[in-house]
Amino acid sequence: MLESSVFPSVAYPSVEPEAADLLITSIGHASPRAASVLSQALELPVETVVDALYRAPARLLANLPAADAARLAALIGTLGVEASVTPAGGPVARAPAMDLAAELLDLDAADAVAATLGRFLGMDPAAALDLLLTPPGVILGAVTEATVRALETSLPAGAVRLTASRPDQARFALFASDLSHQQVNVLRQRLPAGADLSPGGSATVFDLDRSEADALWRRLKAPEQVRIVDQAFLRFSLELVAAPPEGAAALEALAGVPAEDFDLLRRALPVPVEAGVAFDALESRLAAYAEAGLTVRAELETFSYQALDVLSAPAATLAELGLPGPAPLTTGLMPRPRARLLRHRLEAAGAEVLFSEARA
């Protein structure tokens, strides 16, 4: 790791023909420690450095002698940061800010993902994994495409699905529950056509822009009862509720259900056939099933909770995973991504586990 003394003393002369600016083009494979090193070495506020690293491309230093700028860019590169030199005073197009969410796809790679993500975010791997397993899985806010690509490159291939969304262009969903009579009246006045509140004072309103969502949140004045989520981060499951006898081929094509299992599946309806469907793909998926004569319903899975029935398990495994023994036992409710990983780890250790029928 470079120390402050490695960097030359930086002066700020007036603009000359050979003057140059030092740009950060990507955080690359650097750790957050790089921000502290650069802050001390260049005598810049750490906030300035962090902004340049995670919101690249960005101008870090301006109006340097070109030779000094080139030497600094090379030294910064040894930290894993990508830097470049440009003529002094030239325009630097700021990339749009994005929020980033992640979903763990390869459960076997959970520990490797946690280590990589923890290093990238500057936190303990366990805390990084907890962030990943807490829906909707938002792991970074207000970063740029360069940062998203740097993280994507560093993660194990195929282990994680990243979803980036620009808040200035996104559409949002508002989830409200247990509202008072006064709050219900406020929300009812602003519901879109055809939408309504449930008897318990709960509602879900989709397709709001940022200003509309924020205005509703302020009017309701219920931070613990109202949640606003970027729709790009929502995921749905599809459940088959009816299918004609001749629908085997269509279901296999749409959901990958083997045709030989079709008759057995029809006798067990309703059954889930897809999971993890993104909001922007939901309408087309529903239309595809309808066109094939298959009746499905969509359920929001992002904030669903699941318990596990552990039928048998080694006592050492239960203790290692923080579960009370002995088996059989039923865990408490937990977010679905966390339940999936816990079940996977239990089964890998030889346990017999089922998803519990009790859900919230």
Side-chain angles (χ1 to χ4, degrees):
M1 182 61 68
L2 293 177
E3 301 299 332
S4 303
S5 59
V6 176
F7 289 84
S9 177
V10 178
Y12 299 88
S14 58
V15 177
E16 300 173 356
E18 295 184 356
D21 293 343
L22 178 64
L23 304 184
I24 301 297
T25 56
S26 172
I27 192 173
H29 62 270
S31 72
R33 166 72 175 152
S36 175
V37 172
L38 291 174
S39 172
Q40 295 177 33
L42 301 176
E43 298 181 353
L44 292 172
V46 69
E47 296 82 5
T48 299
V49 179
V50 167
D51 183 79
L53 290 176
Y54 288 93
R55 297 173 177 81
R59 183 182 286 108
L60 183 64
L61 291 171
N63 196 22
L64 302 176
D68 286 351
R71 186 164 63 253
L72 279 173
L75 288 170
I76 289 173
T78 64
L79 297 174
V81 178
E82 297 177 12
S84 66
V85 176
T86 189
V92 179
R94 291 302 296 251
M98 299 178 172
D99 294 335
L100 183 66
E103 302 165 76
L104 181 63
L105 301 181
D106 184 353
L107 300 180
D108 287 322
D111 290 335
V113 168
T116 300
L117 188 59
R119 180 179 180 275
F120 195 88
L121 300 178
M123 61 175 61
D124 182 80
L129 184 61
D130 186 67
L131 194 65
L132 181 65
L133 298 178
T134 302
V138 177
I139 56 174
L140 282 168
V143 297
T144 56
E145 179 73 17
T147 299
V148 175
R149 297 285 76 84
L151 176 58
E152 186 175 47
T153 300
S154 68
L155 289 167
V160 175
R161 177 166 55 191
L162 298 178
T163 302
S165 180
R166 289 179 54 176
D168 62 325
Q169 296 181 343
R171 308 298 292 184
F172 294 85
L174 181 146
F175 301 91
S177 61
D178 301 321
L179 298 179
S180 68
H181 179 72
Q182 181 178 2
Q183 291 168 328
V184 165
N185 288 336
V186 169
L187 188 55
R188 181 173 286 117
Q189 296 170 13
R190 289 164 174 77
L191 289 178
D196 202 355
L197 290 159
S198 69
S202 299
T204 301
V205 183
F206 292 106
D207 209 31
L208 300 168
D209 64 28
R210 179 84 255 184
S211 61
E212 291 171 331
D214 287 345
L216 275 176
W217 191 89
R218 288 193 299 268
R219 287 295 305 272
L220 292 171
K221 300 177 181 178
E224 296 182 358
Q225 297 159 261
V226 178
R227 187 170 191 174
I228 296 172
V229 181
D230 189 326
Q231 289 178 173
F233 303 149
L234 297 178
R235 295 294 179 264
F236 293 80
S237 58
L238 299 183
E239 194 171 57
L240 183 68
V241 295
E246 66 276 11
L251 187 61
E252 184 170 29
L254 286 167
V257 177
E260 57 267 27
D261 296 336
F262 182 71
D263 289 336
L264 180 63
L265 181 144
R266 285 187 72 231
R267 292 195 293 270
L269 295 178
V271 295
V273 291
E274 283 195 53
V277 179
F279 184 91
D280 60 2
L282 186 59
E283 184 176 353
S284 63
R285 294 305 296 160
L286 292 174
Y289 280 93
E291 185 177 351
L294 303 170
T295 304
V296 296
R297 64 185 175 209
E299 292 188 2
L300 179 67
E301 68 177 40
T302 301
F303 301 114
S304 63
Y305 281 70
Q306 182 72 63
L308 299 177
D309 289 328
V310 184
L311 306 182
S312 65
T317 297
L318 295 177
E320 181 181 350
L321 295 174
L323 295 174
L329 63 93
T330 299
T331 69
L333 291 166
M334 66 192 83
R336 188 181 294 268
R338 198 177 304 277
R340 288 181 61 245
L341 180 59
L342 180 57
R343 178 177 180 175
H344 178 78
R345 287 177 165 173
L346 283 165
E347 290 180 335
E352 185 180 3
V353 190
L354 298 173
F355 285 118
S356 175
E357 290 299 320
R359 301 182 183 183

